[in-house]
Amino acid sequence: MTGNNFSGDEASVQEHPHLWRNARLATLDPARQGLGIVEKGAIVVENGRITFVGPESEVPVLAIERAEITDLEGRWVTPGLVDCHTHIVYGGNRAREFEMRLEGATYEEVARAGGGIVSSVKATNALSVDGLVAASLPRLDTLLSEGMTTIEIKSGYGLNIDAELKMLRAARQLGRIRPVRVVTTYLGAHATPVEYKGRNGDYITDVVLPGLEQAHAEGLVDAVDGFCEGIAFSTDEIARVFDKAQRLGLPVKLHAEQLSNLGGAKLAASYLALSADHLEYLTAEDAAIMAAAGTVAVLLPGAFYAINEKQKPPVKALRAAGAHIAIATDCNPGTSPLTSLLLTMNMSATLFGLTVEECIAGVTRQGARALGLLDETGTLETGKSADFAIWNVDSLAELVYRIGFNPLHAHVFKGERIDR
Ligand SMILES: [Zn+2]
């Protein structure tokens, strides 16, 4: 892809409006039905923002006279894709561990050989900010090649203050050197480092809370996350982290009910969390509480697939409750080495039974909602950032149906065209 020297700090200034015409639009505009389809549609972009979207016959004459024009030849256009849950910044990988497990090694044997999250923490700590950026770029570029325009990136493989900050600096740096909107999340409460084994409370006191304060003071944090699970942190421990986030004015989200139900989603909803993520063990009652709080349910089929989980998230209960459902890659070295939102859509349909409409909304409008960015991106509506993807497909279902095929024609971020 192009755009290697893109600087996210520079506003894109255009002298003329740009008219993208002869398109079939899936606007995802909630004011329109379903996917918000406009046949024979057009988009007008000025200074990186959408100033018109709708039927081509209704484009303001003034805009046409002044505009630079691109004929999209009847191609489908969706909002730029949003990956609202990733851990793409990390060192090393866990391929050897994967191989050992395939050869029959037990969890203990893998751990004794230095595998598990400990190995990712070690490899991440060993890299500088530049090293982390270099390690993460191929993953980011793969996601970008499918028309992604917004990505959330978590810390959580440092597990000491310096390394957590280093991960967040690398995430910010990725947003400066590639045409993508990066949203950072502080995930100090991801795992307990070896030196604090059995002392979660001390780890939160000594590292998670002061680290959050420091990262926030440096402007490195957009949201705060935790891993609420038997093998990680309890609801009481997560509540301490959320209380601190609240005092700093930062939104929260939570890895919840992935392997068991500890009440994490309920806790998250009580803090009006942006999202609760994974949710395989969520109950119908939890789903209703999340819906009432406006907490988005983020489903992560890559992790479900990679750990060969059998319990599926309660999609029917989420629908019945009227909860918003987003989907994401959860790209991480241990349980979801996935760098494709197209495959995430296919897995969400095949494994969880989401509809085509739910899959496409899950990586656009609902993904943006899960990041608190719905006013800025995630749909094609007047006033929003001009972030969209142009596809070589005959129908939108093709985006979900194919496995391992990328039909992206080109995409646009803040009004700038990026060719594959
Ligand atoms: Zn995750």
Side-chain angles (χ1 to χ4, degrees):
M1 62 168 280
T2 57
N4 286 3
N5 297 313
F6 180 88
S7 167
D9 293 335
E10 287 170 24
S12 72
V13 177
Q14 296 171 328
E15 282 182 24
H16 298 285
H18 195 127
L19 169 63
W20 302 82
R21 60 167 299 270
N22 195 9
R24 306 173 79 185
L25 307 177
T27 64
L28 276 295
D29 180 349
R32 304 176 196 260
Q33 288 289 313
L35 289 166
I37 288 169
V38 179
E39 297 280 356
K40 294 198 176 75
I43 302 171
V44 179
V45 176
E46 289 183 65
N47 297 318
R49 304 202 84 83
I50 297 172
T51 55
F52 170 87
V53 56
E56 195 170 330
S57 58
E58 294 173 15
V59 176
V61 177
L62 249 179
I64 300 175
E65 283 173 353
R66 295 162 50 222
E68 186 182 327
I69 297 172
T70 301
D71 183 344
L72 290 174
E73 300 168 326
R75 289 188 176 85
W76 276 105
V77 175
T78 65
L81 305 190
V82 178
D83 196 346
C84 68
H85 181 140
T86 87
H87 309 249
I88 67 157
V89 169
Y90 59 83
N93 68 64
R94 306 256 281 276
R96 175 60 192 141
E97 182 181 320
F98 174 72
E99 189 178 18
M100 281 178 72
R101 277 192 278 114
L102 289 175
E103 288 163 357
T106 63
Y107 179 80
E108 278 73 25
E109 285 165 338
V110 169
R112 262 204 307 277
I117 192 169
V118 174
S119 72
S120 293
V121 171
K122 215 171 162 185
T124 300
N125 270 278
L127 293 177
S128 64
V129 171
D130 287 347
L132 283 172
V133 167
S136 309
L137 265 180
R139 296 187 280 271
L140 179 62
D141 284 343
T142 304
L143 285 161
L144 289 171
S145 73
E146 294 183 345
M148 182 185 74
T149 51
T150 301
I151 184 171
E152 185 253 20
I153 303 176
K154 303 176 195 293
S155 70
Y157 290 115
L159 307 187
N160 65 66
I161 294 176
D162 286 348
E164 288 293 305
L165 266 59
K166 195 169 65 178
M167 289 184 71
L168 294 169
R169 287 189 196 108
R172 287 276 193 248
Q173 180 66 5
L174 289 170
R176 283 190 283 269
I177 62 175
R178 285 294 187 268
V180 66
R181 182 181 293 103
V182 170
V183 180
T184 58
T185 300
Y186 179 79
L187 179 57
H190 188 199
T192 312
V194 183
E195 58 273 27
Y196 280 92
K197 199 166 182 224
R199 296 189 296 128
N200 278 3
D202 291 343
Y203 171 61
I204 290 174
T205 304
D206 297 351
V207 177
V208 179
L209 300 182
L212 171 55
E213 217 159 285
Q214 210 173 313
H216 173 65
E218 287 188 30
L220 293 171
V221 186
D222 297 323
V224 177
D225 196 353
F227 185 18
C228 185
E229 193 56 71
I231 57 166
F233 297 92
S234 69
T235 49
D236 286 349
E237 288 158 353
I238 295 294
R240 292 182 60 201
V241 181
F242 281 5
D243 285 340
K244 169 69 85 177
Q246 223 165 34
R247 280 198 293 277
L248 297 173
L250 293 167
V252 300
K253 57 179 80 177
L254 191 62
H255 289 67
E257 323 332 345
Q258 181 186 7
L259 307 170
S260 62
N261 189 310
L262 290 191
K266 237 182 286 184
L267 175 82
S270 76
Y271 284 81
L272 301 179
L274 289 171
S275 68
D277 305 31
H278 285 291
L279 306 177
E280 276 80 347
Y281 288 81
L282 192 80
T283 66
E285 186 202 338
D286 298 334
I289 292 169
M290 284 179 62
T295 297
V296 177
V298 178
L299 307 185
L300 306 167
F304 174 90
Y305 167 85
I307 66 173
N308 204 13
E309 174 64 57
K310 296 290 181 273
Q311 172 91 13
K312 299 188 181 197
V315 169
K316 282 183 185 146
L318 288 165
R319 282 182 190 138
H324 296 293
I325 301 174
I327 55 179
T329 63
D330 190 21
C331 176
N332 78 68
T335 58
S336 188
L338 170 62
T339 46
S340 169
L341 280 168
L342 289 166
L343 184 52
T344 299
M345 284 198 273
N346 177 268
M347 285 179 163
S348 298
T350 305
L351 301 175
F352 296 162
L354 295 197
T355 64
V356 165
E357 187 178 318
E358 286 170 330
C359 289
I360 294 175
V363 295
T364 55
R365 184 176 68 221
Q366 305 296 26
R369 189 193 304 275
L371 297 177
L373 284 176
L374 200 47
D375 289 341
E376 182 65 12
T377 192
T379 69
L380 302 177
E381 288 180 85
T382 302
K384 288 199 183 183
S385 180
D387 303 339
F388 50 91
I390 304 158
W391 304 98
N392 292 315
V393 292
D394 293 327
S395 75
L396 291 169
E398 271 184 70
L399 297 178
V400 181
Y401 149 81
R402 293 189 187 280
I403 303 171
F405 181 76
N406 181 3
L408 189 78
H409 177 69
H411 75 281
V412 171
F413 175 64
K414 295 185 177 177
E416 298 282 346
R417 179 180 176 134
I418 295 136
D419 286 297
R420 282 183 71 191

